[in-house]
C-alpha cells in the first residue's frame, strides 16, 4: 500500500463522516418542523378562542412528541420565516366569521438540533477513519523499516528488492543484484575493485575485464531507472552516487 492510497482512503472516510453528520443534522431539523406542524394542527383543532392564550401554548406543547421542544417552542401569530429559529408552516384557524393565522416557532441552537440528530452513522465513519489511520501508520512504519532511498531508487532489505520511483521492481541480473547490494551496504557507497572481484569472483585470478563489463552494462540501468551513477573513483574502485551529486562534483572541479 502506498502512502497516497492511505491518505485518499482516510480523507474519503472523513468526508463520509462529515456528510453523514450534516445529513443527520438536516434530518433532525425536518423532524422538529414536522413535530411542530402536527402539534399545531392538533392544537387548532381543539381551539375555541380567536386569540392566543397561555392555555393555547400549553396545549400545543403537550402535543409535541419531542420532549426537548416543549420548553423551546411557542405558538404565535404568523410572522413568516425567521432566520434565527425553526418554524412550522402557517395554519389558519376559522370559526364562523372569525379567522386567525398562526405559526409555531422553536428557539433551537445548533447544539440542541445536533443533540437531537442521529449521529450513529457519522460516528461509525469517524471510528473507521481513526482505525484506518492507526492501521496505516503501523503498516507504513513496518513496511518502510529497513528501506533505503537513494536517488529515485528504493531498496527494501526485507525482500532484497530494488524499486524505482513508481514502485516497479528493477530487474537486475543476479550479478548486478549482488553488486548493487555491495554498494548499498558499503560505507559512502564506495567499493574497491579488489573487494568487488574477491566477493563476486573469489576463484577467478583476474576478474578486471569481467568487472568492467558488469559495470558497463549496469550503468545505463541505474542511470535511467534509479537516477544514480556509478563513478570510477581514481582508478581504485567505483562509487555509487546520485546524478545531482555527480553534477555538483563536476561543477566544483571545473
Amino acid at each position: 500500500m502506498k502512502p497516497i492510497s492511505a491518505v485518499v482512503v482516510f480523507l474519503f472516510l472523513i468526508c463520509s463522516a462529515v456528510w453523514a453528520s450534516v445529513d443527520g443534522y438536516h434530518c433532525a431539523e425536518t423532524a422538529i418542523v414536522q413535530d411542530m406542524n402536527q402539534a399545531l394542527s392538533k392544537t387548532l383543532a381543539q381551539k375555541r378562542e380567536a386569540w392566543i392564550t397561555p392555555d393555547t401554548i400549553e396545549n400545543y406543547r403537550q402535543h409535541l412528541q419531542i420532549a426537548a421542544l416543549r420548553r423551546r417552542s411557542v405558538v404565535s401569530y404568523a410572522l413568516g420565516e425567521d432566520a434565527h429559529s425553526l418554524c412550522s408552516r402557517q395554519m389558519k384557524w376559522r370559526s364562523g366569521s372569525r379567522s386567525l393565522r398562526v405559526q409555531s416557532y422553536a428557539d433551537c441552537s445548533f447544539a440542541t438540533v445536533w443533540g437531537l440528530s442521529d449521529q450513529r452513522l457519522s460516528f461509525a465513519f469517524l471510528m473507521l477513519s481513526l482505525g484506518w489511520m492507526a492501521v496505516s501508520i503501523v503498516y507504513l512504519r513496518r513496511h518502510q523499516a529497513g528501506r533505503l532511498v537513494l536517488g529515485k531508487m528504493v531498496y527494501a532489505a526485507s525482500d532484497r528488492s530494488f524499486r524505482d520511483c513508481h514502485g516497479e521492481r528493477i530487474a537486475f541480473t543476479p550479478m548486478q543484484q549482488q553488486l548493487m547490494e555491495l554498494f548499498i551496504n558499503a560505507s559512502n557507497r564506495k567499493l574497491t575493485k579488489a573487494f568487488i572481484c574477491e566477493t563476486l569472483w573469489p576463484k577467478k585470478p583476474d576478474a578486471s575485464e569481467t568487472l568492467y563489463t558488469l559495470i558497463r552494462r549496469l550503468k545505463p540501468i541505474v542511470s535511467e531507472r534509479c537516477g544514480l551513477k556509478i563513478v570510477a573513483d581514481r582508478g581504485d574502485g567505483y562509487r555509487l552516487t546520485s546524478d545531482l551529486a555527480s553534477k555538483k562534483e563536476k561543477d566544483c572541479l571545473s
Side-chain angles (χ1 to χ4, degrees):
M1 178 178 62
K2 296 181 179 179
I4 186 64
S5 301
V7 172
V8 169
V9 174
F10 175 75
L11 291 178
F12 172 77
L13 291 173
I14 287 293
C15 290
S16 298
V18 172
W19 169 82
S21 180
V22 172
D23 183 67
Y25 182 88
H26 288 312
C27 287
E29 283 187 326
T30 302
I32 290 172
V33 172
Q34 289 176 346
D35 192 24
M36 290 193 296
N37 285 335
Q38 66 84 23
L40 184 59
S41 177
K42 291 179 180 178
T43 301
L44 294 182
Q46 300 172 354
K47 187 171 178 56
R48 297 291 179 264
E49 305 88 359
W51 53 84
I52 296 175
T53 65
D55 289 338
T56 305
I57 297 175
E58 184 63 27
N59 187 28
Y60 162 76
R61 287 177 172 175
Q62 289 177 357
H63 289 305
L64 288 171
Q65 296 176 355
I66 301 176
L69 288 178
R70 290 171 185 163
R71 290 185 299 175
R72 301 175 182 274
S73 184
V74 295
V75 178
S76 172
Y77 298 107
L79 301 174
E81 298 290 334
D82 187 348
H84 302 290
S85 62
L86 297 174
C87 57
S88 68
R89 60 184 175 86
Q90 294 184 12
M91 297 185 185
K92 189 174 183 179
W93 174 86
R94 181 185 295 274
S95 178
S97 61
R98 298 178 299 174
S99 64
L100 184 68
R101 189 173 291 275
V102 296
Q103 195 170 12
S104 60
Y105 297 87
D107 184 17
C108 295
S109 64
F110 171 84
T112 301
V113 178
W114 193 86
L116 293 172
S117 63
D118 185 359
Q119 296 293 328
R120 288 176 295 180
L121 182 59
S122 174
F123 183 75
F125 275 121
L126 181 61
M127 290 297 100
L128 280 174
S129 65
L130 294 177
W132 174 262
M133 181 178 67
V135 170
S136 298
I137 290 174
V138 172
Y139 173 83
L140 291 173
R141 282 184 176 178
R142 289 182 178 178
H143 195 63
Q144 292 181 355
R147 284 194 161 200
L148 175 68
V149 178
L150 190 61
K152 296 187 294 183
M153 179 191 72
V154 178
Y155 173 71
S158 57
D159 59 355
R160 299 174 59 191
S161 64
F162 292 89
R163 298 181 183 274
D164 60 17
C165 58
H166 302 293
E168 297 178 0
R169 192 161 188 157
I170 302 173
F172 290 125
T173 65
M175 278 296 176
Q176 291 172 348
Q177 175 83 15
Q178 291 182 53
L179 180 56
M180 288 298 294
E181 289 182 351
L182 291 178
F183 275 122
I184 291 298
N185 295 319
S187 176
N188 298 325
R189 315 286 178 246
K190 179 181 176 182
L191 296 170
T192 63
K193 291 181 180 179
F195 177 77
I196 298 174
C197 292
E198 289 175 5
T199 304
L200 299 184
W201 305 282
K203 297 181 180 180
K204 197 168 186 177
D206 186 6
S208 299
E209 286 298 323
T210 308
L211 173 59
Y212 174 77
T213 302
L214 177 62
I215 293 292
R216 179 171 54 83
R217 292 177 178 175
L218 183 58
K219 278 184 176 181
I221 299 176
V222 296
S223 177
E224 180 182 349
R225 300 289 301 278
C226 308
L228 301 172
K229 280 191 175 182
I230 299 177
V231 182
D233 193 23
R234 298 179 182 177
D236 184 43
Y238 296 96
R239 182 160 42 90
L240 184 66
T241 183
S242 65
D243 285 340
L244 183 60
S246 299
K247 290 178 182 178
K248 287 183 178 179
E249 286 184 7
K250 289 181 180 179
D251 292 340
C252 291
L253 292 174
S254 60

